[in-house]
Amino acid sequence: QVQLVESGGGEVQPGGALILSCTVSASNSDDYAVAWFRQAPGKEREGISCISPKKGPTFYLESLRDRLILSRISGTNNVELIMSSLTPEDTAAYYCAASIPRRSGDACDFRSALDYNIWGQGTQVTVSL
Protein backbone atom coordinates (compact mmCIF):
# COMPACT_ATOMS: atom_id res chain seq x y z
CA GLN A 1 0.00 0.00 0.00
CA VAL A 2 1.42 3.35 -1.03
CA GLN A 3 2.03 5.75 1.82
CA LEU A 4 2.99 9.41 2.03
CA VAL A 5 5.21 10.85 4.72
CA GLU A 6 5.59 14.61 5.15
CA SER A 7 8.51 16.28 6.86
CA GLY A 8 10.04 19.72 7.19
CA GLY A 9 7.40 21.58 9.15
CA GLY A 10 8.22 23.65 12.20
CA GLU A 11 8.33 27.16 13.55
CA VAL A 12 9.72 30.03 11.53
CA GLN A 13 9.77 33.79 11.86
CA PRO A 14 7.86 36.03 9.47
CA GLY A 15 9.80 36.52 6.28
CA GLY A 16 11.49 33.17 6.63
CA ALA A 17 11.33 30.05 4.47
CA LEU A 18 10.69 26.35 4.85
CA ILE A 19 11.06 23.26 2.71
CA LEU A 20 8.33 20.67 3.09
CA SER A 21 9.06 17.19 1.78
CA CYS A 22 6.63 14.45 0.80
CA THR A 23 8.03 10.95 0.36
CA VAL A 24 5.96 8.66 -1.85
CA SER A 25 6.56 5.02 -0.90
CA ALA A 26 6.14 3.64 -4.40
CA SER A 27 8.68 2.41 -6.93
CA ASN A 28 6.74 4.28 -9.60
CA SER A 29 6.41 7.53 -7.65
CA ASP A 30 6.73 9.55 -10.85
CA ASP A 31 3.38 8.13 -12.00
CA TYR A 32 1.60 9.94 -9.18
CA ALA A 33 0.20 13.43 -9.20
CA VAL A 34 1.17 15.01 -5.88
CA ALA A 35 -0.58 17.97 -4.31
CA TRP A 36 -0.19 20.03 -1.17
CA PHE A 37 -3.12 21.18 0.89
CA ARG A 38 -3.22 23.20 4.07
CA GLN A 39 -5.74 23.81 6.81
CA ALA A 40 -5.52 26.63 9.30
CA PRO A 41 -7.47 26.56 12.58
CA GLY A 42 -11.10 27.44 11.97
CA LYS A 43 -10.67 27.50 8.21
CA GLU A 44 -11.45 25.13 5.38
CA ARG A 45 -8.76 23.02 3.80
CA GLU A 46 -7.34 24.60 0.66
CA GLY A 47 -5.18 23.25 -2.09
CA ILE A 48 -2.09 25.30 -2.80
CA SER A 49 -0.05 23.44 -5.39
CA CYS A 50 0.32 20.24 -7.36
CA ILE A 51 2.78 18.56 -9.68
CA SER A 52 1.66 16.32 -12.51
CA PRO A 53 3.03 12.83 -13.17
CA LYS A 54 6.23 12.30 -15.12
CA LYS A 55 7.41 15.65 -16.47
CA GLY A 56 3.96 17.21 -16.50
CA PRO A 57 3.13 20.75 -15.43
CA THR A 58 3.08 22.22 -11.96
CA PHE A 59 0.34 24.53 -10.72
CA TYR A 60 0.05 27.00 -7.86
CA LEU A 61 -2.68 28.86 -6.05
CA GLU A 62 -2.55 32.27 -7.67
CA SER A 63 -2.23 34.15 -4.39
CA LEU A 64 0.83 32.08 -3.44
CA ARG A 65 2.44 31.67 -6.84
CA ASP A 66 5.33 34.03 -6.14
CA ARG A 67 6.24 32.31 -2.89
CA LEU A 68 6.09 28.60 -3.75
CA ILE A 69 8.26 26.20 -5.72
CA LEU A 70 7.15 22.57 -6.06
CA SER A 71 9.42 19.98 -7.62
CA ARG A 72 10.31 16.32 -7.77
CA ILE A 73 13.78 15.53 -6.51
CA SER A 74 15.54 13.50 -9.18
CA GLY A 75 16.63 10.04 -8.12
CA THR A 76 14.39 10.01 -5.05
CA ASN A 77 10.74 9.46 -4.22
CA ASN A 78 10.50 12.95 -2.76
CA VAL A 79 8.44 15.93 -3.79
CA GLU A 80 9.54 19.17 -2.17
CA LEU A 81 7.61 22.37 -1.59
CA ILE A 82 9.72 25.44 -0.94
CA MET A 83 7.78 28.21 0.77
CA SER A 84 9.34 31.64 1.15
CA SER A 85 8.43 35.04 2.60
CA LEU A 86 6.23 33.32 5.14
CA THR A 87 3.65 35.29 7.12
CA PRO A 88 1.54 34.35 10.15
CA GLU A 89 -1.32 33.70 7.70
CA ASP A 90 0.66 30.71 6.43
CA THR A 91 0.33 29.01 9.81
CA ALA A 92 -1.50 25.74 9.17
CA ALA A 93 -1.25 21.98 9.03
CA TYR A 94 0.15 21.05 5.63
CA TYR A 95 -0.75 17.79 3.94
CA CYS A 96 0.52 16.12 0.83
CA ALA A 97 -1.79 13.96 -1.21
CA ALA A 98 -1.27 11.73 -4.23
CA SER A 99 -3.10 9.77 -6.87
CA ILE A 100 -2.58 8.23 -10.27
CA PRO A 101 -4.73 10.16 -12.76
CA ARG A 102 -7.59 8.25 -14.34
CA ARG A 103 -6.26 9.00 -17.80
CA SER A 104 -2.61 8.80 -18.72
CA GLY A 105 -1.25 12.24 -19.48
CA ASP A 106 -3.81 14.13 -17.42
CA ALA A 107 -2.40 17.08 -15.54
CA CYS A 108 -2.85 17.48 -11.79
CA ASP A 109 -5.47 19.73 -10.20
CA PHE A 110 -5.07 20.99 -6.63
CA ARG A 111 -8.55 22.51 -6.46
CA SER A 112 -10.28 19.33 -5.34
CA ALA A 113 -9.16 17.10 -2.52
CA LEU A 114 -11.48 14.42 -3.92
CA ASP A 115 -9.02 13.89 -6.77
CA TYR A 116 -6.53 12.37 -4.33
CA ASN A 117 -6.91 9.03 -2.62
CA ILE A 118 -3.66 8.83 -0.66
CA TRP A 119 -2.89 11.29 2.13
CA GLY A 120 -0.05 11.92 4.49
CA GLN A 121 -0.40 12.54 8.19
CA GLY A 122 0.34 16.25 7.91
CA THR A 123 3.07 18.52 9.20
CA GLN A 124 2.55 21.70 11.18
CA VAL A 125 3.94 25.04 10.03
CA THR A 126 3.84 27.91 12.52
CA VAL A 127 4.94 31.40 11.54
CA SER A 128 5.42 33.74 14.48
CA LEU A 129 7.88 36.10 16.10
Side-chain angles (χ1 to χ4, degrees):
Q1 183 176 354
V2 176
Q3 293 183 323
L4 305 179
V5 178
E6 301 103 332
S7 61
E11 294 189 18
V12 63
Q13 293 186 346
L18 279 177
I19 300 175
L20 301 183
S21 181
C22 177
T23 301
V24 182
S25 68
S27 59
N28 61 334
S29 60
D30 284 357
D31 290 341
Y32 288 80
V34 178
W36 282 91
F37 293 80
R38 69 182 183 180
Q39 187 164 20
K43 294 187 177 181
E44 293 187 356
R45 179 173 52 190
E46 67 173 347
I48 62 173
S49 183
C50 69
I51 188 165
S52 303
K54 306 295 185 182
K55 297 185 185 297
T58 302
F59 301 99
Y60 302 97
L61 186 66
E62 188 61 31
S63 60
L64 301 179
R65 173 183 296 278
D66 293 340
R67 301 196 289 119
L68 301 181
I69 301 175
L70 183 62
S71 61
R72 296 183 189 271
I73 306 306
S74 179
T76 75
N77 290 351
N78 294 340
V79 174
E80 287 190 349
L81 178 68
I82 301 174
M83 304 190 300
S84 59
S85 301
L86 290 164
T87 74
E89 288 68 38
D90 294 313
T91 295
Y94 285 73
Y95 301 88
C96 71
S99 67
I100 293 181
R102 284 189 288 265
R103 294 180 302 182
S104 177
D106 276 1
C108 66
D109 186 348
F110 61 79
R111 294 171 297 178
S112 173
L114 295 177
D115 285 356
Y116 300 89
N117 59 344
I118 306 167
W119 288 78
Q121 80 287 355
T123 186
Q124 178 67 33
V125 172
T126 302
V127 185
S128 65
L129 292 172

